[in-house]
Amino acid sequence: LFNQFVWDDYYLIVENPYIKNFKFIPNLFSGDLIYSTIERHVESSYYRPLSMLSFMVDYKIWRLNPFGYHLTNITIHLLNSLLVFLIVFEISKNIGVSFITGAFFVVHPIHVEAVVPIYNRMGIQAAFLMFSSLFLFMKSKDFSRRGFLSGALFLFVMALFSKEEAIILPLIFLC
C-alpha cells in the first residue's frame, strides 16, 4: 500500500492530463491507450478506456497519492478472490473446496506482479469483469434466466473495454 508510482504509472497517471478532468472522458474512448495519455507520438494499438476511466476516478479521489491506487488494486484483487470462491462453489457445491481455492487465489505469489504495480490495474479489472460475467453466465441456468444472461453479456463487453484478453471469455462460456 505504501509503494510509490513506478514505470508506466508515470505516463498513465502522474504525467497524464487526460485523467485529471472528467471533461476528457471522450479522449479515453476515442483512441488507443496512448491517445488517452500525453504521449501521442506513439501508437499503442491498445484500446482500454474503462481502465483509464478507473484511473480518472482514482485521481478524483486520491489525486497523486499512490496509496489510494494501490488500495483500489488490492480491493479488486480481493473481489476477484471472492468471485473465484463463488464460481468454484457454483461448480462443486463444496464450501471447503471453494474456500481453499479462493484462499489459494488470494495469496498465491503469482498475483504480485498483477496487483502491486498500479498500471497493471487493466488486467485485474478485466479479470474482475470476466469472473463476474462468468458467474452470471453460470447463474443463467441453460439460458433460461435472461436477466443473468444479459448481465453476463454486458460485463463481457465492459471487460473488453478494460483489456483485450477478455476476448477469450466466450470460449470459456463454451467450456
Side-chain angles (χ1 to χ4, degrees):
L1 286 172
F2 300 100
N3 289 334
Q4 298 301 310
F5 293 112
V6 296
W7 302 311
D8 292 350
D9 294 341
Y10 286 100
Y11 83 88
L12 289 173
I13 298 164
V14 177
E15 300 165 358
N16 185 357
Y18 299 109
I19 66 159
K20 296 177 180 171
N21 193 320
F22 284 115
K23 74 179 184 179
F24 292 118
I25 287 177
N27 286 67
L28 306 182
F29 288 88
S30 63
D32 67 12
L33 177 68
I34 299 299
Y35 184 76
S36 60
T37 69
I38 198 163
E39 295 187 13
R40 293 180 177 214
H41 60 280
V42 177
E43 192 172 306
S44 71
S45 300
Y46 295 128
Y47 186 69
R48 299 175 179 175
L50 201 58
S51 296
M52 295 305 292
L53 186 61
S54 77
F55 289 145
M56 188 179 269
V57 171
D58 265 357
Y59 180 81
K60 185 71 173 172
I61 297 168
W62 303 103
R63 296 294 177 199
L64 291 177
N65 182 352
F67 175 89
Y69 295 81
H70 287 296
L71 182 63
T72 301
N73 280 14
I74 290 171
T75 302
I76 294 169
H77 179 63
L78 292 174
L79 290 171
N80 285 343
S81 301
L82 175 64
L83 285 164
V84 166
F85 168 84
L86 292 172
I87 290 167
V88 172
F89 184 75
E90 188 68 23
I91 294 167
S92 71
K93 303 297 186 204
N94 184 320
I95 198 155
V97 168
S98 304
F99 179 79
I100 290 169
T101 306
F104 188 64
F105 185 89
V106 78
V107 299
H108 197 285
I110 199 166
H111 297 295
V112 170
E113 190 176 337
V115 178
V116 174
I118 297 165
Y119 64 85
N120 279 345
R121 161 100 42 96
M122 300 163 190
I124 60 173
Q125 181 179 357
F128 170 75
L129 293 164
M130 291 170 66
F131 285 147
S132 299
S133 179
L134 177 60
F135 182 69
L136 290 182
F137 181 79
M138 293 168 69
K139 288 298 220 177
S140 75
K141 304 288 184 200
D142 299 324
F143 305 107
S144 61
R145 296 179 174 169
R146 301 246 183 226
F148 285 109
L149 204 53
S150 298
L153 178 62
F154 174 75
L155 290 169
F156 166 61
V157 172
M158 293 296 99
L160 287 173
F161 284 134
S162 293
K163 195 170 181 186
E164 56 283 346
E165 68 191 21
I167 196 73
I168 67 163
L169 192 57
L171 297 174
I172 295 170
F173 287 168
L174 289 174
C175 294

